[in-house]
Amino acid sequence: MPPLEIWTAELVHPGDRARPDYGLLTDGRSVLGWGPLEDLRRDHPSARLRRLGAYLGVPAVNAHVHLDLGTGPVFRGPFMDFVFEAVFPLSEARGLDLARKAGRAAAQPALGDIVAKDPRTLEWWLGEAPFAGVAYWEVLGIGDRAFEDRILAETRALVRRYRRYERPGGPRLGLSPHAPYSLTPRLMREVVALAREEGLPLQIHAAESPDEAAYFRDRSGAIAAFHRQKGVPDDLHPVGLSPIEYLAELGVLEARPVLVHGVQVDEADVRILAEHGVRVVSCPRSNVNLEAGLPPYALYRKHGVALALGTDSALSGGSLDVRDEVRFLLERGEPAALVFDAAVRHGRAVLGLRLEPIEAGAPLQQVEFW
Ligand SMILES: [Zn+2]
């Protein structure tokens, strides 16, 4: 019989919660069991002890990413500069090839990926990509009623067509109405209604940049300027609200969408999210690179709003490895057990995945450590 080893790390997550002073017993091939470190050492005094680092347990998941923006160099600067200088130039190229390439750089086995422009990316994602999670089709646009009707009809047809590619137990199709300011109120409401009707998961970017907050507050900032330049009527969206209040007024939060970012929020906003049972995906490195600041994590904790973690695109986040978000938050003094729970437990909940405990007998490869 191969010699026994006891593996441990600062936090150990066998599948229920992250705990300190915990470990696993292994013969080098399989998980033989989990337990308090003290008990394992007492019961197996000849087993070699391996201290592995920050984490040992169920793998983390990346709850928000844009594979189809590729892996190109990280952008640092305000959000709308990022849109103009990094996202818009990729408009033509966004699609299956970039998504495949970025998919090879994605470090986690489960992703929440926003898919834009190229439906072939959905076919790949749902039919053959090696990920669990959700491929969210992105919908956005501002126009008249005929425009809204056309986008809705196209989205409906796309949902009908691509749901057929879902494999039993495999990744799911979702919808992502992009952001409060980038869809007309009616289009936002109707896309959310369609998702409810079809039972599709939803992700919406919300309260990300200071410019988004300024747009809804008093039509100031770079998003308001961009809308004016495009001829968007000044009264398209209400004014004097926060982005979260706007989504609540629109009835969108009743559908319990997952919101991404949630940086520009005050306590009243966080209370609204808590009341609606809305979960948030935080992408802290992207927020800092795009000069948005960091979400008020203590407020989210105070009101019991569940936070998951995502990298956002490699262009704003810097890598497609959610463990880099964990390290980033730990370096900033966020409580370790909660940060790991965000990456492991809430990430799965956001993507509709179950947190499966790693049982005795499971191959050791199922255990992640870093
Ligand atoms: Zn995003």
Side-chain angles (χ1 to χ4, degrees):
M1 208 176 100
L4 295 180
E5 294 186 355
I6 296 166
W7 289 14
T8 189
E10 281 167 45
L11 279 171
V12 177
H13 200 317
D16 52 357
R17 64 190 166 87
R19 318 168 206 230
D21 306 316
Y22 217 69
L24 87 77
L25 184 70
T26 176
D27 57 5
R29 282 186 222 128
S30 306
V31 174
L32 301 179
W34 302 85
L37 196 53
E38 213 179 81
D39 296 2
L40 291 173
R41 297 192 72 174
R42 185 194 58 228
D43 296 346
H44 307 278
S46 62
R48 191 166 80 97
L49 181 69
R50 285 186 67 188
R51 291 187 187 275
L52 293 162
Y55 181 80
L56 167 72
V58 181
V61 308
N62 187 352
H64 180 76
V65 62
H66 299 256
L67 292 183
D68 66 10
L69 284 170
T71 56
V74 64
F75 182 92
R76 291 190 177 83
F79 173 77
M80 281 309 277
D81 290 359
F82 170 69
V83 171
F84 291 133
E85 293 168 35
V87 178
F88 283 175
L90 279 175
S91 283
E92 293 298 313
R94 259 182 117 167
L96 181 58
D97 291 344
L98 278 181
R100 271 210 178 109
K101 183 173 158 236
R104 287 193 285 276
Q108 275 68 49
L111 311 175
D113 183 27
I114 308 296
V115 177
K117 294 183 185 291
D118 184 358
R120 291 177 310 156
T121 311
L122 289 177
E123 192 177 325
W124 165 73
W125 230 109
L126 300 170
E128 55 181 285
F131 309 116
V134 184
Y136 300 88
W137 177 249
E138 183 171 83
V139 184
L140 78 171
I142 288 174
D144 60 13
R145 212 173 161 87
F147 168 85
E148 294 170 335
D149 288 341
R150 179 170 62 78
I151 299 284
L152 283 169
E154 285 172 6
T155 306
R156 238 173 233 289
L158 179 134
V159 167
R160 257 198 314 274
R161 169 154 190 209
Y162 286 97
R163 285 206 97 170
R164 292 204 302 260
Y165 290 90
E166 288 178 337
R167 294 163 275 169
R172 297 175 64 204
L173 177 65
L175 286 175
S176 179
H178 170 254
Y181 57 85
S182 59
L183 289 84
T184 63
R186 175 170 173 254
L187 194 51
M188 174 65 85
R189 256 194 332 258
E190 293 292 328
V191 173
V192 169
L194 173 62
R196 286 186 100 170
E197 199 179 300
E198 295 280 338
L200 301 175
L202 277 166
Q203 277 199 5
I204 306 173
H205 297 88
E208 179 178 5
S209 66
D211 285 317
E212 179 182 343
Y215 173 75
F216 280 96
R217 187 175 57 240
D218 55 12
R219 294 289 182 273
S220 61
I223 290 175
F226 179 61
H227 274 199
R228 270 195 296 275
Q229 186 202 329
K230 290 268 168 196
V232 174
D234 224 35
D235 61 353
L236 176 70
H237 296 108
V239 81
L241 298 175
S242 71
I244 301 299
E245 286 169 335
Y246 166 63
L247 291 177
E249 270 198 6
L250 208 55
V252 160
L253 299 186
E254 307 294 331
R256 295 189 65 204
V258 171
L259 298 190
V260 183
H261 297 306
V263 180
Q264 316 300 325
V265 293
D266 61 14
E267 188 155 17
D269 291 323
V270 175
R271 214 174 262 127
I272 291 171
L273 297 178
E275 282 163 11
H276 287 85
V278 167
R279 297 188 180 97
V280 173
V281 182
S282 176
C283 308
R285 288 182 306 156
S286 172
N287 295 151
V288 167
N289 287 334
L290 302 188
E291 301 179 2
L294 285 173
Y297 292 118
L299 271 184
Y300 283 116
R301 278 197 288 280
K302 178 178 168 192
H303 291 280
V305 174
L307 287 189
L309 293 177
T311 57
D312 219 350
S313 74
L315 311 191
S316 60
S319 76
L320 295 172
D321 188 342
V322 84
R323 292 172 295 187
D324 292 334
E325 307 296 333
V326 171
R327 294 185 185 104
F328 181 88
L329 291 178
L330 295 179
E331 281 164 15
R332 274 151 191 79
E334 293 296 325
L338 297 179
V339 174
F340 283 105
D341 225 36
V344 172
R345 175 206 300 277
H346 298 309
R348 280 183 177 70
V350 156
L351 299 178
L353 299 171
R354 283 179 31 176
L355 179 56
E356 305 272 6
I358 301 178
E359 311 276 7
L364 201 51
Q365 289 91 321
Q366 284 186 15
V367 181
E368 177 171 279
F369 55 88
W370 39 289

